[in-house]
Amino acid sequence: MRKKILKTIDKNSHLTPKELAVRLGQTEEVIRKEIQAMEAERIICGYPTLINWEKADCEIVTALIEVKVTPQRGQGFDKIAERIYKFDEVDSVYLMSGGFDLTVIIQGKSMKEVSLFVSDKLSTMEAVLSTATHFVLKKYKEHGIALEGGKKEKERMLITP
């Protein structure tokens, strides 16, 4: 049941327990209890809204920062990742395989604000060996949802005899 609930709300967290119950063939009470349990267990960690900031007339700069770090004895990458994700500017932090250790995604009002975060806060951390910053130029799809609709087909007119 949990997997079905999670897959359903992953694309639309706006659904009410009543709507989920109808879609999944369960009672509203069962759905409500499962969601509360998953929230308590931190399986469900929040309900963010996906916003297309370009259309909201807000200047937001998104940057992906590759970070190489020295893992800490007995704590690996967890402690440094925690220190990084506590910064207000940080949207996401991921442990990576490959040529760098962490991916840090941040948002700022300008490229200068992002670069100041990297130079003043991130790169000055003792465990950080190097950073490489990449600026997002345009978002097409995020969290599995297309931000720009493709060309809409013209609706066909219904003709009845």
Side-chain angles (χ1 to χ4, degrees):
M1 174 54 50
R2 285 183 169 196
K3 193 173 187 176
K4 287 180 180 181
I5 293 171
L6 293 171
K7 284 187 171 197
T8 305
I9 65 173
D10 184 44
K11 298 293 184 219
N12 184 0
S13 64
H14 194 63
L15 294 171
T16 66
K18 185 176 184 176
E19 292 168 324
L20 283 168
V22 170
R23 286 187 184 203
L24 301 176
Q26 293 291 324
T27 67
E28 188 175 344
E29 184 61 26
V30 167
I31 298 296
R32 210 179 288 283
K33 284 182 179 180
E34 282 294 330
I35 289 173
Q36 288 172 347
M38 289 188 286
E39 289 171 342
E41 295 171 37
R42 301 264 316 140
I43 293 169
I44 296 175
C45 300
Y47 299 90
T49 302
L50 180 58
I51 300 168
N52 186 342
W53 288 106
E54 288 181 21
K55 290 189 173 193
D57 199 27
C58 295
E59 291 294 322
I60 301 270
V61 175
T62 302
L64 182 148
I65 307 162
E66 299 173 358
V67 184
K68 290 184 183 179
V69 299
T70 302
Q72 296 181 341
R73 177 171 283 150
Q75 298 173 345
F77 296 99
D78 295 345
K79 195 67 173 174
I80 186 68
E82 182 180 353
R83 285 184 57 209
I84 292 170
Y85 74 62
K86 285 186 175 180
F87 287 114
D88 290 337
E89 298 90 340
V90 175
D91 186 54
S92 303
V93 178
Y94 304 105
L95 180 62
M96 306 298 293
S97 64
F100 56 96
D101 303 307
L102 300 172
T103 295
V104 177
I105 300 174
I106 71 166
Q107 293 186 337
K109 294 177 185 170
S110 66
M111 291 175 110
K112 183 176 183 175
E113 185 176 276
V114 170
S115 65
L116 286 173
F117 168 79
V118 174
S119 64
D120 294 350
K121 295 180 180 178
L122 187 59
S123 65
T124 58
M125 296 175 78
E126 189 175 314
V128 173
L129 301 173
S130 67
T131 63
T133 303
H134 307 275
F135 289 97
V136 174
L137 301 177
K138 183 173 183 172
K139 294 180 183 180
Y140 295 98
K141 187 175 185 178
E142 196 165 29
H143 301 291
I145 299 170
L147 298 176
E148 294 287 332
K151 291 183 180 179
K152 292 184 178 178
E153 291 184 31
K154 292 182 180 177
E155 288 186 32
R156 301 181 93 186
M157 187 184 303
L158 179 62
I159 301 175
T160 58

